[in-house]
Amino acid sequence: MIADLILWTVLVPLALGLALGLFSRHAGERRALGGGLLFVLALLAVVAIEGMPVFPPVAGKQKLPFVLAGLAVLFFLLGHVRRPAGRLPAAATVLLAAAVPAVWIGYRILSAAPVKAFLVFGLLFFFALAAALLSPSPRSRAQGQAPLAALLFALIATAVVSVTGGYIGMAQVCGAAAAATGGWLLLSYVAYLGGDDAAMHPGPQPLLAWLVLTALLMAVTALLAPSANPVALVLAALPLALAAWLERRGPDLPRALQPVAAGAICAVPALAAILVSVLA
Amino acid sequence: MKFTLLAGALSALVLASPALAADSYDIDPTHAWVSFKTNHAGWSNAHGIFKTVSGSISFDKDDVTKSSVEITIDAGSIDTNDAKRDEHLKSPDFLNAAEFPAITFKSTAIEKTGDKTAKVTGDLTVVGTTKPVTLDVTFNSEASLPWDASVVKTGFSATGSFSGPDFGLAKMTEFGLGPDIKLDIDVEAVKK
């Protein structure tokens, strides 16, 4: 059981994240299709962890594979858009692409638990705001070293919140997404050290896909985990606020340390989220 | 005229008799125990109980095949003697109690097997999935409360089993549980 858990929650997603990183490095203009591939990867992880999808889906969690397949199609289509989305379209894309599935998955709970509904929509609006702030800006001084590091720590923290909240299946899915993100970051950091300043930014459309995936997994955790700590989930989202700040005025450090510092700073609220969820 | 009256009275008696033959009962929630056990990785059988049970019984003592039963169990009332484990069992990994708060059993057929025993087949709904399950039921006794003769109670015991993964509880295998879940039910019901 433990070997299976490590294989499908960590090792396979890590390898797939590395493969996605290779695709990002060598696909040229097709790099934008990485957003669609991210959702294909997430779909594979969910099928490996939860089993083959049930049709028609009855429970909310059974809808997740269909949502991921739909988002893969959406982001493959967006990957063909040459121009990066502006701030408002980016925010609208993240909000709609995460909120519509979240409502479909959790409408029974949203209507019965107003606190959970408030938390879910608060998180989704926060992610939409983050999408606007992290969209390409001529004023940005960093090369996008912080956003994926922030999402990595948000996913790790959400996995722990899901475990302590009593939903281990979603913790596995979040863990798999974190492992894939870690794989992508590992490969990209090596490329960054090799001289590619922009290596740690996945590109505008794939970044939106990552934001939607993380927002969706956090929303599903908030909805379906029986006792997910709401304060911990809010803290788990805060690395994105730090990423937005780091993208504008990051610390002046030696080049090789800049991504490491960005990651360390983004990890702080995630660690707080983990502590709150474990100790509460 | 006399013939018409007699025929009318007989017809009314015939039509009314099936309804009169079956007595109606409400399950007493304070005297209802729905417990279960399932294999835990070969080490032991993990036990649990549902604390909130309700339902109704229509019991025809003359022809039990005309009886019926409906039981509703609050999925969120599961108790396995460990609060953290109970939280996990309420999650979508298992009972998904927030989305599917009720586990229900509605009888569809009853076969008499002895003086006080019967096989009760019904639709069991767990996590939104409905499948037929057969329970072996024993009628224990019926009597008035010693301190209140106006209240009549009847009591049944039942056993049965079903496969958890058949009802979508696919994570059971991953956590070394099951696959079969054995039910052990005792209910007392108050005559209406």
Side-chain angles (χ1 to χ4, degrees):
Chain A
M1 180 190 153
I2 296 294
D4 272 1
L5 193 75
I6 291 170
L7 181 69
W8 294 110
T9 306
V10 180
L11 296 180
V12 172
L14 183 73
L16 291 173
L18 287 166
L20 188 59
L22 278 175
F23 175 82
S24 295
R25 300 248 357 110
H26 300 291
E29 285 196 352
R30 290 189 176 177
R31 182 182 192 221
L33 298 175
L37 286 175
L38 176 70
F39 281 105
V40 171
L41 189 155
L43 177 60
L44 290 174
V46 168
V47 170
I49 290 165
E50 294 287 344
M52 287 304 287
V54 177
F55 188 82
V58 181
K61 76 165 185 174
Q62 293 169 341
K63 295 171 185 169
L64 189 58
F66 300 97
V67 165
L68 295 173
L71 288 171
V73 172
L74 174 70
F75 277 92
F76 276 128
L77 293 174
L78 286 177
H80 288 96
V81 178
R82 290 281 172 89
R83 225 157 46 97
R87 291 186 189 283
L88 192 61
T93 302
V94 169
L95 186 62
L96 288 174
V100 171
V103 170
W104 186 46
I105 287 170
Y107 69 91
R108 291 188 188 96
I109 293 160
L110 286 169
S111 56
V115 174
K116 283 196 171 191
F118 184 75
L119 175 63
V120 166
F121 287 110
L123 285 171
L124 295 179
F125 275 107
F126 178 78
F127 269 80
L129 180 66
L133 292 174
L134 293 170
S135 288
S137 157
R139 285 184 294 134
S140 176
R141 59 176 283 188
Q143 287 87 34
Q145 294 155 1
L148 277 209
L151 291 174
L152 168 68
F153 288 111
L155 285 164
I156 291 171
T158 306
V160 176
V161 173
S162 193
V163 170
T164 57
Y167 188 4
I168 292 172
M170 186 47 58
Q172 289 177 263
V173 174
C174 291
T181 308
W184 192 96
L185 281 169
L186 192 64
L187 195 104
S188 301
Y189 184 56
V190 172
Y192 175 82
L193 292 178
D196 182 355
D197 282 341
M200 302 206 69
H201 196 292
Q205 290 96 334
L207 177 60
L208 288 186
W210 244 294
L211 283 163
V212 169
L213 178 66
T214 309
L216 183 63
L217 296 183
M218 288 186 86
V220 173
T221 301
L223 284 166
L224 300 184
S227 53
N229 189 303
V231 175
L233 275 174
V234 170
L235 286 169
L238 287 185
L240 276 175
L242 291 177
W245 172 73
L246 285 164
E247 287 296 286
R248 280 158 179 76
R249 47 184 98 229
D252 285 324
L253 288 169
R255 185 177 175 278
L257 287 179
Q258 284 175 9
V260 179
I265 291 168
C266 290
V268 173
L271 284 171
I274 290 168
L275 280 175
V276 166
S277 71
V278 170
L279 297 177
Chain B
M1 179 67 180
K2 276 184 184 174
F3 175 78
T4 308
L5 280 172
L6 185 62
L10 280 173
S11 302
L13 194 64
V14 167
L15 287 171
S17 58
L20 288 172
D23 294 316
S24 296
Y25 302 81
D26 279 333
I27 289 173
D28 175 359
T30 62
H31 293 91
W33 296 270
V34 176
S35 61
F36 62 88
K37 63 181 177 181
T38 190
N39 186 287
H40 181 224
W43 292 314
S44 68
N45 286 310
H47 291 240
I49 194 164
F50 290 97
K51 291 169 135 179
T52 307
V53 180
S54 61
S56 59
I57 298 168
S58 173
F59 185 29
D60 186 335
K61 295 184 192 70
D62 296 329
D63 184 357
V64 292
T65 62
K66 290 178 179 165
S67 303
S68 63
V69 58
E70 286 189 24
I71 297 179
T72 301
I73 299 161
D74 177 3
S77 72
I78 192 168
D79 184 354
T80 62
N81 201 26
D82 182 86
K84 273 287 171 194
R85 180 170 57 220
D86 293 344
E87 281 300 302
H88 188 205
L89 290 169
K90 290 176 204 170
S91 82
D93 284 339
F94 294 98
L95 293 175
N96 203 354
E99 283 188 272
F100 302 98
I103 296 168
T104 61
F105 178 82
K106 289 182 182 177
S107 66
T108 53
I110 296 177
E111 176 196 346
K112 188 173 180 178
T113 54
D115 283 348
K116 289 193 157 190
T117 58
K119 283 191 180 296
V120 178
T121 301
D123 290 331
L124 178 67
T125 302
V126 181
V127 201
T129 300
T130 302
K131 288 184 183 293
V133 166
T134 299
L135 301 174
D136 291 307
V137 180
T138 301
F139 166 53
N140 297 320
S141 74
E142 180 166 303
S144 301
L145 295 180
W147 59 90
D148 185 353
S150 67
V151 179
V152 176
K153 258 191 172 184
T154 194
F156 299 91
S157 299
T159 56
S161 72
F162 63 96
S163 166
D166 283 355
F167 284 81
L169 304 174
K171 283 275 179 184
M172 283 183 68
T173 317
E174 195 175 314
F175 286 92
L177 295 169
D180 290 335
I181 297 169
K182 291 177 183 167
L183 296 169
D184 194 350
I185 303 167
D186 276 278
V187 293
E188 297 175 16
V190 178
K191 195 172 182 178
K192 288 203 259 188

